[in-house]
Structures are given as C-alpha cells and as structure tokens.
Amino acid sequence: MATVDNPDEKRPGKKTEREELATDQQIRRRMLKAFGWFGLASLVPYGVWKWIRSQPKEAGLPKVFRKVLNTNERLANGYFSNTHLATTFPKEMAAKNVRVNGKDGLRSALDKDAWRLQVERPGQQPLSISLDELKALPKQEIIFQFKCIEGWSQIQHWGGVNFAEFVKKYQLGKKDGSEEWYSYVGMKTPDGGYYVGIDTPSALHPQTILAYEMNDEPLTDLHGAPLRLIIPVKYGVKNLKRIGSIWFSDERPRDFWAERGYDYHVGL
C-alpha cells in the first residue's frame, strides 16, 4: 500500500516541528545572552559612580570633578580678554522691577550710616573707606543682561565706581615693590555670611564696578545696599551684595558656592 507523504513536510520554506523548536531555543539563548550583557554593562556606570563617590573631596566635590572644573577654568582664563565686553543696552530697556535672588549675607541688620568699606593690605594698616569717598570718584554706569546660574536673565541698570579706577586710586592689588598683581580678589559681607573669590583679571575688567545705585536710585537692602559688586563677565553668584571687606591674595579666597560644589570661575 502506498504511503502518503505529509504535504507540510515537503512544502518549500515550511519548517518542521523540530526545526521550529531549535529556532525558539536559539532565540531564547540570544535573549538571555543579551540581558546578561545588558546587566553587566549597567554595572559599569554604577561601579564608576561608586568609585567617584569614594574619592576624597575638594571644595565640596569629589576630587576628579573638581579637576575637570579647574581645567575648564584654565581654558577660560586662556582666552579671557579685557577687550571682550558684555553687550550693553539703552537705558529704557532696563527692568524697572529688578529681580531679587538670594539673601545670604543680608539677614543681619546693618547700620548703613556707620558702614565703611574695609580694604585689607598685606603688611599695612587696612583702609576704611566711606560711601561718600567712593562717590567722589568718577561714576560709571552700565546697562547689561545680568545672568543667573539658575537660568534666568534680565537687563539691568547699575551705577557706581569702576573697580580698576578704585584700585588705582588706593594703590591696591600689586605686590610691594613690583608691578606684579596678586592673583585673586576676595570679598565678603560684613557678617561673613556670603563671600566670593574672583580672579584679578576679571575684577579689573573695564565693565566691573562697585555699584551704589540701581536705576539711578540708591541700592535697596535686598539688592546689596550700600555697596555691591557688578561684574558682567561672571554669573550672578559672583556679584556680591553688601560688600563689607575686600582683599587681594595669591591663594584662592573662599567662595560660597564653590564650597557647595559649583565651578569657582563661573565666567560667561
């Protein structure tokens, strides 16, 4: 009696049950292998992060991160120039309601009539300068786009004393008996609650001022009365409000936000 072949076994392109089983096994093996490699790969960033977390800290950050920020700062200093100026605007474009951001260093009461700017001088008696003495120097105004590290910006109008002219008037910033400048300028509020360190070239930028006016009016308390720093080549965190003292140093002065993990330079 003739046997009848199963037509499915002869049909071209049709897999047998055994072949289908083998194919399913291969797919499962490949999936398991892929998941295995994925799991292994996911351990790599975790291991790197764990290693980073185990590193000693420097100024609020794991040392490896701080090294990256320091490298960025050296690169930024390499192309910094006093000829690169922040864009300025007509006075009518300046905000009438100037944004307030941060109250560190402003929380304690201050007798503005008794206030004096204290300027420390290595090997000499500190200077004590009144606001009227600062106002006797030529006034400089600037209307520029103030930029906050949090992402907002605003066109603002400030008036005060050019910092480089202030330094020249009181013969500050240079080492005794030489034309060599100290590397940094330090500033802090009278209560020491807020403090910044700034590289000297940025402090001497032609648009940096010690401001005592905002929109042609005396500074308000929340905007840093009686005197604050306006430095357009830096983000807002460096624009110290209510300056109490200033000094020059070759060692980096303490910096409020750098100690909390931010970039020390924070230049624009």
Side-chain angles (χ1 to χ4, degrees), residues 116-162:
R116 295 290 186 277
L117 176 63
Q118 304 299 317
V119 183
E120 300 174 20
R121 299 183 297 172
Q124 302 181 61
Q125 289 293 318
L127 294 174
S128 182
I129 305 171
S130 71
L131 189 60
D132 285 339
E133 288 174 308
L134 292 174
K135 288 182 176 180
L137 298 174
K139 181 181 174 182
Q140 179 172 323
E141 297 182 56
I142 185 168
I143 300 98
F144 78 109
Q145 192 170 48
F146 184 100
K147 295 181 180 179
C148 179
I149 206 166
E150 294 178 349
W152 60 268
S153 63
Q154 187 181 56
I155 297 174
Q156 299 176 352
H157 174 205
W158 303 92
V161 180
N162 178 278

Side-chain angles (χ1 to χ4, degrees), residues 131 158-161 209-213 219 224 226-230 243:
L131 189 60
W158 303 92
V161 180
I209 65 174
L210 297 175
Y212 49 76
E213 285 184 0
L219 295 179
L227 190 73
R228 67 167 294 163
L229 181 68
I230 291 295
I243 303 172

